[in-house]
Amino acid sequence: MSNAAVLKDDYLGEYHVYEPHRAGLPPIRPYFRELWRRRAFAVELAKSTIRSTHHDTVFGVLWNVINPLLLAGVYYLLVAIISQATQPSDYFAHLLAGLFAFYFVAGCMSGGSASVTSAGRMIMNTAFPRMLLPLSAVYIAFRKFLPTMLVYLAVALITHVGVSTTALLAIPMFMLLMVFGTGMGLLLATAQVYFRDTASFLPYVTRIWLYVSPVLFYPDAKFIEKIGPLIHLNPLYSLLGGWGDLLVRGDLIPAWMWIEAALWSFGTLALGAVVFMSRERDFAVRL
Amino acid sequence: MPSDSDKPVGPVISVQDVCITYRTTFEKSPTLKDAVLRLGRRERSVREVEAVKNVSFDVPQGSVLGIIGSNGAGKSTLVRAIAGILPPTTGRIVVRGKVSTLLALGVGFNAAISGRENVLLGGLAAGYSRAEIADKYEEIAGFAELGDFMDLPMRTYSSGMFSRLAFAVAVHMEPDILLVDEALSAGDAKFKEKAAAKMAELVGQARTMILVSHALGTVRDMCNDAIWMNKGRLMIRSEPQHVINEYTRFVNVGESAYTLEDV
């Protein structure tokens, strides 16, 4: 490539002006343009992370299916056998659908929280939109989620729950879950930079969150009425409740549930994005 | 935002009255325990660092600018700002051309994955396409002389191999501007020679370079322009030997085997 060609080629953003960030935020449009242009980086980072996690195990990538199966087994033991209460016939399918979606969100959160601090050296050396790092964690969580749906489908067929056409509406609900998970990932990534205990607290917070979300119980369980409107403070009530009703029961969910889920997910994403972008200049000096 | 008035040809890098301050903590890793202890002692953990104060200079195309100064003089911060990693607090920096960086040792690599994957990841992060990286890959691997190690996880590499690969990536991405911070200690004597030759080749192609170094000998040999920074301020800018003389007189050590050594 001749030098003249390099100068003409504006593919790499050959002309840069660096000025103080207004209100702490980088210029928005160039930021997202660069983010989009470098999306291959987020994907490649996710792939190499996945490869290296199972690099030295006997089962390798098979763990992506073994994990959800074991998880399903553990909760089946816990709820169906130990509690001895008679559950509806679709309970196990409901439990799995909720668990797998919940673990997707939890994956966005734990992956997101570690994404910036573990990329330390790359952040010191290269200028790129840092948001690619937590987004890569969301992609990892999604790649881990996909095989769990195969496990779910198998269980739904075996337990005669089946899959109705309404279940297709679970896809937009899952997208809202992804939006919510991204927002949480961005928030936790920022929190982890300033407060390194975040990742240590996270598993406990996640565990409690699982128990108060409609995973082990149905979103219309009797005791929900006693809790009253407080239940709506849990974003996962509408998100996971709607997801389970659509996917497992094949019920159309009420409009308020869609609206509540959309408000929580996009609100969290907006908050996460603003917090993350306004702090990301700091990352290079805080790591 | 770029405006049209900035477009006409001028210096490749223009640093205009730049100040860089940032808030940082004393702790290396901020944790709850430390936060509670500090609260007990009523200490403030956050401190404002004025790393760069009202610095202005231009770098014309094809020049090799050396930046010298004591530890904490703001050299690395300034170079990071030019790379776009740490935007200025006030002032403005204009950079014309494709920038490649080599800042801090063992940079930008994930030790769990192979050298090959790291080259791809680093290139993608810097904004190159897969095809561009694939084009350059053989050259990079050849220059770094890592052989079969390219496909092994980087935790199996020695520190010299780490630096060699980092250097190879930085110089082979056809940068218009190369920013190098203390990274010339890469590898053994033979590789150092090769690295110096490669950098001379880049300068021969009218590419611009900024070199931060404590090795005054390197600055004297490689640069045709130099800056001395002290406590965030630009002290003088002149030809390298003069700047080195002023700096060594200031710190009162004189040129010795230590200051000239490539450390």
Side-chain angles (χ1 to χ4, degrees), chain A residues 58-137:
Chain A
V58 177
F59 293 115
V61 286
L62 270 182
W63 272 109
N64 290 330
V65 181
I66 301 173
N67 266 332
L69 279 173
L70 289 178
L71 196 66
V74 167
Y75 278 90
Y76 182 72
L77 266 178
L78 183 75
V79 181
I81 297 176
I82 297 175
S83 80
Q84 292 199 329
T86 39
Q87 303 284 4
S89 61
D90 66 357
Y91 183 74
F92 192 52
H94 164 82
L95 177 69
L96 285 195
L99 264 185
F100 294 156
F102 181 85
Y103 270 81
F104 165 73
V105 175
C108 294
M109 286 166 43
S110 62
S113 72
S115 63
V116 171
T117 44
S118 64
R121 283 170 159 176
M122 193 167 258
I123 286 179
M124 312 260 207
N125 191 51
T126 314
F128 61 91
R130 311 301 185 204
M131 209 185 265
L132 287 165
L133 299 168
L135 286 180
S136 175

Side-chain angles (χ1 to χ4, degrees), chain A residues 6 11-12 14-21 37-38 41 44-45 51 121 124-125 127-128 194 196-197 281 286, chain B residues 2 6 25 30-32 83 85 87-89 91-95 97-98 101 103 117 125 127 130 132 176:
Chain A
V6 173
Y11 173 64
L12 275 160
E14 307 294 4
Y15 181 79
H16 315 263
V17 177
Y18 303 115
E19 282 178 327
H21 288 173
R37 206 162 63 71
R38 298 183 197 199
F41 165 69
E44 195 57 40
L45 179 63
R51 266 199 300 270
R121 283 170 159 176
M124 312 260 207
N125 191 51
F128 61 91
Y194 292 93
R196 300 294 164 97
D197 306 74
R281 177 187 183 266
R286 289 270 184 171
Chain B
D6 299 316
T25 47
T31 64
L32 180 65
I85 295 167
T89 311
R92 125 193 244 266
I93 298 172
V94 180
V95 178
K98 203 157 60 169
T101 51
L103 313 175
E117 288 172 307
R130 278 175 202 278
E132 284 172 296
D176 299 315

Side-chain angles (χ1 to χ4, degrees), chain B residues 96-259:
Chain B
R96 290 182 179 82
K98 203 157 60 169
V99 178
S100 186
T101 51
L102 192 51
L103 313 175
L105 284 175
V107 280
F109 288 127
N110 176 349
I113 62 179
S114 71
R116 183 186 292 270
E117 288 172 307
N118 267 305
V119 170
L120 176 60
L121 264 186
L124 290 174
Y128 296 92
S129 70
R130 278 175 202 278
E132 284 172 296
I133 299 161
D135 276 354
K136 296 284 167 213
Y137 180 77
E138 288 309 320
E139 250 182 281
I140 292 171
F143 190 87
E145 297 175 33
L146 291 175
D148 297 339
F149 273 94
M150 284 306 283
D151 289 308
L152 292 178
M154 286 191 69
R155 60 185 145 76
T156 61
Y157 290 24
S158 71
S159 59
M161 293 161 81
F162 238 87
S163 330
R164 260 153 57 184
L165 187 57
F167 184 86
V169 172
V171 296
H172 281 90
M173 283 306 183
E174 308 236 340
D176 299 315
I177 299 163
L178 181 62
L179 306 175
V180 183
D181 187 352
E182 297 291 347
L184 283 180
S185 50
D188 48 29
K190 186 171 151 248
F191 191 81
K192 258 184 226 174
E193 213 165 278
K194 195 170 157 185
K198 182 70 192 175
M199 289 176 76
E201 184 194 318
L202 288 179
V203 176
Q205 297 164 347
R207 300 179 202 249
T208 312
M209 218 172 287
I210 292 186
L211 197 65
V212 173
S213 188
H214 286 290
L216 301 180
T218 308
V219 172
R220 193 180 53 200
D221 296 344
M222 298 202 55
C223 303
N224 52 28
D225 197 356
I227 276 174
W228 161 29
M229 285 190 67
N230 189 44
K231 294 182 178 163
R233 295 190 189 282
L234 198 161
M235 302 296 279
I236 50 169
R237 182 213 185 139
S238 183
E239 53 91 25
Q241 188 59 56
H242 178 63
V243 175
I244 289 170
N245 291 346
E246 289 295 313
Y247 170 61
T248 44
R249 200 166 62 204
F250 177 80
V251 294
N252 204 14
V253 286
E255 277 188 18
S256 70
Y258 290 112
T259 55

Side-chain angles (χ1 to χ4, degrees), chain A residues 4-257:
Chain A
V6 173
L7 290 174
K8 264 184 233 152
D9 175 17
D10 60 8
Y11 173 64
L12 275 160
E14 307 294 4
Y15 181 79
H16 315 263
V17 177
Y18 303 115
E19 282 178 327
H21 288 173
R22 244 175 240 146
L25 285 176
I28 303 294
R29 262 198 293 166
Y31 187 93
F32 283 103
R33 198 172 54 224
E34 284 302 297
L35 187 75
W36 177 247
R37 206 162 63 71
R38 298 183 197 199
R39 62 194 182 277
F41 165 69
V43 172
E44 195 57 40
L45 179 63
K47 282 184 185 162
S48 60
T49 310
I50 293 172
R51 266 199 300 270
S52 64
T53 1
H54 297 304
H55 174 71
D56 43 11
T57 60
V58 177
F59 293 115
V61 286
L62 270 182
W63 272 109
N64 290 330
V65 181
I66 301 173
N67 266 332
L69 279 173
L70 289 178
L71 196 66
V74 167
Y75 278 90
Y76 182 72
L77 266 178
L78 183 75
V79 181
I81 297 176
I82 297 175
S83 80
Q84 292 199 329
T86 39
Q87 303 284 4
S89 61
D90 66 357
Y91 183 74
F92 192 52
H94 164 82
L95 177 69
L96 285 195
L99 264 185
F100 294 156
F102 181 85
Y103 270 81
F104 165 73
V105 175
C108 294
M109 286 166 43
S110 62
S113 72
S115 63
V116 171
T117 44
S118 64
R121 283 170 159 176
M122 193 167 258
I123 286 179
M124 312 260 207
N125 191 51
T126 314
F128 61 91
R130 311 301 185 204
M131 209 185 265
L132 287 165
L133 299 168
L135 286 180
S136 175
V138 172
Y139 184 76
I140 292 176
F142 180 65
R143 285 285 294 260
K144 288 185 177 166
F145 171 78
L146 285 180
T148 66
M149 278 298 96
L150 293 178
V151 175
Y152 169 79
L153 284 178
V155 169
L157 294 177
I158 292 166
T159 59
H160 305 293
V161 172
V163 182
S164 69
T165 44
T166 322
L168 284 177
L169 283 174
I171 295 173
M173 187 54 94
F174 179 76
M175 286 176 176
L176 289 180
L177 272 163
M178 195 183 257
V179 168
F180 179 72
T182 308
M184 289 304 293
L186 290 170
L187 284 173
L188 288 164
T190 316
Q192 175 73 3
V193 172
Y194 292 93
F195 188 57
R196 300 294 164 97
D197 306 74
T198 309
S200 316
F201 281 122
L202 198 56
Y204 302 99
V205 175
T206 311
R207 186 55 63 90
I208 292 168
W209 204 347
L210 170 63
Y211 296 152
V212 299
S213 300
V215 172
L216 303 182
F217 55 86
Y218 289 93
D220 52 3
K222 284 261 182 317
F223 68 90
I224 300 279
E225 281 172 29
K226 284 184 213 155
I227 302 171
L230 274 180
I231 192 80
H232 299 285
L233 289 180
N234 178 4
L236 291 180
Y237 176 70
S238 52
L239 283 162
L240 285 182
W243 159 259
D245 279 359
L246 289 164
L247 181 66
V248 184
R249 291 177 170 177
D251 287 350
L252 287 171
I253 55 168
W256 66 261
M257 217 168 192

